[in-house]
Every structure is written in C-alpha cells, then in structure tokens.
Amino acid sequence: MAQILTKLEAILKDKYQPALTNQINTEPSPFLEKIKKIPLTNNTIRCAAPIGINGGFGFGAEGVGTPKAGAQRYSRFEIDAVDMYVDLQISNKTVALASSNASSMINALDGEIKGSYAAAKWNISRALFGDGSGKLATVTAATASGANTVLTLDSTKQVVEGLRIDLYDVDGSGEATAAATGAGKRILSVDRANKQITVEGSVTLTGTTGFITVQGSYNREICGLGAIFTGDSIYGLSKSENPWLCPTAVDAKNDLTDLVLYRGVKEAKDYKGANIDLLMMGDAAFLAYQDYIHTNNVAVAEKHHFVGGAVGYKVLVGSNEVVIVNERFVPDNEVWGVDTSTFYLEATPWSFMEKDGGIFVPMPDTSIFRALLASYGNLMCTNPGGTLRITNANAI
C-alpha cells in the first residue's frame, strides 16, 4: 500500500501540480489573469504607494528664488498574507483497487482533482471581489425541513451546492458570534428563485439575522476588490481620513452608455493617474450595455478571449482601449473598472504540504487519505483610488 501511495504522490507532483498551479493563477477570473504575480517573501506584505505628484515644480524669473523642494509623498500599505488550500481526498479502497497500473491510478485521481480544482476556482474567483470578511450572504430565517434546515438569504449569488459553510448570529448591536449549531454545514441544494438554501442537519438562528461564510474563513479571506470599492478602510488606512483612497464614483442613472464609461475612465485618469484597462460589469449592467451597443450599432473593435473561458469586448473609451467583461461576482447593477498594472498578487507557489516526504496523510477515524495543496499570499494595489465604480448601471 505504501508503494502505491508513493506512486500516486509522484503522479500528483509531476503531472498535476504544475498544471493546477498555472490554472489557479489564471482561470478563476479575467482580473486575476491580467494582473502580475510575484513571490511572497514575508508574512506581512508592504507597499509604498505614491500620493499625488512631486511638489517641487514652479515657474520663476531671473533673480527670483527657485521653487521649494516638494518630494513625492508616499503612504505605507500593509496587509498580512492569508492561507489558501485546495483539499484532495482519496479512499483506501480506491488506492487498493488502483494498484494494477499507472493509468488506473490517474483515473482514480482525476475526478477528485477536477472537483477540488473547480471548488478552488470558484472560491478564489469569489474572494477576489470580496472585502476580506468572507461573508457570503445575510441570513434572515432558519426553518427546519426534516433532518435538515432551510436558510433564507438576501442573495444566492455567492453560494453553490456542496460548499461547507459556517453560520454566525448577529445581535442588536451588530456583534457577530458563531452559531452553536452552525459550523461546517454543507449546502445540499440552492433555490435561487426563493433565495433559499438547504443545509445538512439542524441549524438554529438565535437572533433575527445572521450571515454565512465559507467554513473557517470569517475575516480570513483575500483582501479583494470589495474592500476597495465598498469598505471603510484599505491596507490599514481609513478612507474618510484619506479621501485619495476612494475610487472614482459615477452614477449611470440607469442609462449605461459609452459617454458614461468615458466620463468615468477620463476622471480616473485625470485626477487619480490611472489608466483603466478592464471594466467588469455585473449581470444586469452587462445586459444593459449589450442592449445599448446593439440598439445603437456601437462598433466593437474585437472580442477578447481569456484563458478561463470568459469572452469580453475590446472597445475604445475615448483614446483608451478597454476590455469589457461580464463578472458574476460584481454587484448586479454596477461596473468596476481597474488599472490592472497597479495590482499584483503576492503569494507563494502552490505546492503540496508534505510530511516525512509524503503528501497523503490518513484522516483520523476514517479510511480516507488527504492531500493539501497550499499557497499563502494576498492581493495588493498601489493605487486604490485609481479604480472606478459606476452605480445604477442596470436598465430600469
């Protein structure tokens, strides 16, 4: 059995790990594909972000003093790396039955690897647009349904069957506490029409409201774009005390046109020094824009194909070439624009955790072997204020 596991581990590390690493770094989102990836060198990620321009310039005249020095101002951004894992499991029975040849071993692993990668892709894509809190949805009711529980949510955009979640109660002061019966519950089904999910076992909501997160992930996720567009602070700095951190804001007034996009992109460039090259539209906003370009025969330069399968439009917004893409984790009626050159993911390479040279370890009290693919890092932006947020971008 030990020899079989050794062969399976070699297959994973030699044949699957390089491909998985490449896919996880590109496919979850067009945004992730376009930004830089750099190696993590310290648990705390730091960045010196420029504020405005150098203040030492001035016009003068002969015999008049030269301008006073005005060195470029910088602000220090800091954020800690977060832990990211892809879980792979295989049963002892599967290992025993796969002992005949290498092909059967690969077949035994293939389905599990594809399922685990799909989970990683979905969660990383979602977290890139979150605010780091990990909140998936607000819970307004918990109703028993046989041996299981139906949770009523404010939105089902960020939930999917199979996901394990934690439930938190929220009291009248807004304080959140982990629900005693709500840890690690698996989502059995999603009713998107009625905004409800069915989870395994009995779950009790103590207060009038609560919220759900991915298991063990509350306040432990990537500091995603949501922190820039909707949060009160970013990288340890308050937005109210540092207004230069706030994105350019444009109200489309339910009429998303090229002029609206142009105004937003131009303001971000003129006042924040950003060259917006990617506009990500929520579902309703993307439908409104498609209706606009078809109704008005707007010329699209060409289509842009992303590695992960997404297809966007390349359009001219003023003098800038911008890619427009539908992004399901952007709020339905909003458009989020970014200068991708100002973003980077600082992280360690994805690699399997090893113990005594092996990557498979038996799970306690089970006949299951588990392997963990891990990476540590976070998302950083050198110019958060250079982003663009367009609201009310859906049609009436």
Side-chain angles (χ1 to χ4, degrees):
M1 184 67 69
Q3 290 180 338
I4 299 171
L5 280 177
T6 300
K7 291 180 180 178
L8 288 174
E9 289 170 347
I11 292 170
L12 271 178
K13 288 192 285 188
D14 297 340
K15 296 184 179 296
Y16 282 99
Q17 182 177 322
L20 280 172
T21 297
N22 181 62
Q23 290 171 335
I24 292 173
N25 280 336
T26 57
E27 291 190 4
S29 165
F31 169 68
L32 182 60
E33 180 180 330
K34 285 178 70 68
I35 66 174
K36 298 185 291 288
K37 288 85 179 176
I38 66 175
L40 178 71
T41 56
N42 193 292
N43 184 59
T44 299
I45 300 170
R46 296 181 175 88
C47 168
I51 304 173
I53 63 174
N54 185 295
F57 177 84
F59 291 98
E62 187 175 357
V64 177
T66 57
K68 292 181 180 180
Q72 175 69 54
R73 293 176 59 218
Y74 290 89
S75 184
R76 183 186 179 97
F77 290 169
E78 287 190 359
I79 193 168
D80 288 338
V82 301
D83 300 4
M84 298 171 279
Y85 301 106
V86 178
D87 174 77
L88 299 172
Q89 295 180 15
I90 190 167
S91 70
N92 184 71
K93 181 179 180 180
T94 301
V95 173
L97 294 176
S99 61
S100 57
N101 56 63
S103 295
S104 61
M105 291 182 190
I106 293 175
N107 289 337
L109 286 172
D110 195 59
E112 176 63 25
I113 289 170
K114 286 180 178 177
S116 296
Y117 168 66
K121 178 179 176 179
W122 188 87
N123 278 291
I124 291 173
S125 176
R126 175 192 56 74
L128 283 169
F129 295 87
D131 60 6
S133 70
K135 293 181 182 179
L136 303 177
T138 297
V139 180
T140 57
T143 308
S145 178
N148 301 314
T149 306
V150 175
L151 300 180
T152 302
L153 312 178
D154 66 332
S155 170
T156 56
K157 180 182 283 285
Q158 299 193 77
V159 294
V160 66
E161 288 87 352
L163 195 67
R164 283 198 180 275
I165 60 170
D166 294 337
L167 172 66
Y168 287 81
D169 288 307
V170 178
D171 61 23
S173 65
E175 194 72 22
T177 55
T181 57
K185 298 297 184 181
R186 194 157 200 196
I187 298 177
L188 303 177
S189 63
V190 180
D191 180 353
R192 301 193 186 278
N194 294 304
K195 297 183 179 180
Q196 293 180 328
I197 59 173
T198 300
V199 298
E200 61 183 5
S202 175
V203 178
T204 303
L205 185 66
T206 304
T208 56
T209 62
F211 61 85
I212 56 174
T213 71
V214 174
Q215 58 177 341
S217 299
Y218 183 38
N219 286 332
R220 293 173 179 166
E221 292 197 352
I222 290 170
C223 181
L225 291 172
I228 294 176
F229 286 105
T230 63
D232 296 324
S233 63
I234 185 72
Y235 304 132
L237 298 178
S238 165
K239 290 182 182 177
S240 61
E241 296 175 5
N242 300 277
W244 54 273
L245 290 170
C246 298
T248 297
V250 173
D251 187 344
K253 299 179 180 178
N254 305 109
D255 187 19
L256 186 61
T257 67
D258 281 343
L259 289 177
V260 173
L261 299 182
Y262 171 72
R263 189 169 88 237
V265 170
K266 180 172 169 46
E267 286 185 17
K269 184 173 185 177
D270 290 349
Y271 304 132
K272 299 295 182 71
N275 291 306
I276 301 294
D277 60 346
L278 181 63
L279 290 170
M280 297 169 285
M281 297 184 174
D283 292 344
F286 190 69
L287 288 174
Y289 185 71
Q290 281 193 307
D291 181 65
Y292 163 75
I293 62 176
H294 292 149
T295 300
N296 294 277
N297 295 317
V298 175
V300 175
E302 60 181 285
K303 290 185 177 180
H304 184 87
H305 295 265
F306 292 92
V307 173
V311 179
Y313 300 123
K314 273 187 180 179
V315 299
L316 286 177
V317 179
S319 59
N320 287 29
E321 184 178 78
V322 180
V323 175
I324 294 175
V325 68
N326 180 207
E327 176 49 67
R328 60 179 172 173
F329 292 117
V330 170
D332 283 347
N333 63 341
E334 295 190 14
V335 180
W336 289 2
V338 295
D339 176 350
T340 56
S341 70
T342 65
F343 285 87
Y344 60 90
L345 179 69
E346 186 167 337
T348 62
W350 284 90
S351 60
F352 283 103
M353 295 174 57
E354 297 191 26
K355 180 181 179 181
D356 301 326
I359 62 174
F360 278 113
V361 295
M363 297 176 65
D365 303 320
T366 72
S367 61
I368 303 295
F369 292 98
R370 184 190 197 194
L372 274 179
L373 193 64
S375 177
Y376 310 96
N378 218 321
L379 182 69
M380 179 61 80
C381 177
T382 58
N383 185 14
T387 54
L388 168 66
R389 183 186 187 190
I390 301 176
T391 57
N392 298 313
N394 57 311
I396 297 177

